[in-house]
Amino acid sequence: MNNNDIEYCECKNSSAVYSQNDDFMWWDRCCDCNKVIEDSITYFNQSDEDY
Ligand SMILES: [Zn+2]
């Protein structure tokens, strides 16, 4: 997911959300507008290992 392209949900009371994820993070998306819930974006634990 490219952060520059995210449109965040602005619904005051979304009726429902659903979760999505990719290799690096997961986030919730609003079922009303299909936009990302800004506060929901969670990056997976970043280890100290170098890849
Ligand atoms: Zn919304």
Side-chain angles (χ1 to χ4, degrees), residues 5-46:
D5 291 337
I6 299 175
E7 286 190 278
Y8 293 113
C9 169
E10 293 178 357
C11 303
K12 290 220 163 60
N13 288 299
S14 57
S15 54
V17 299
Y18 60 96
S19 296
Q20 292 188 312
N21 69 276
D22 65 13
D23 289 343
F24 304 105
M25 64 182 101
W26 63 268
W27 60 91
D28 288 336
R29 221 174 250 277
C30 174
C31 288
D32 291 342
C33 68
N34 272 334
K35 294 179 182 177
V36 173
I37 311 295
E38 184 169 10
D39 289 344
S40 74
I41 297 175
T42 305
Y43 290 88
F44 294 136
N45 287 337
Q46 300 194 344

Side-chain angles (χ1 to χ4, degrees), residues 45-51:
N45 287 337
Q46 300 194 344
S47 72
D48 293 323
E49 299 174 54
D50 287 322
Y51 285 95

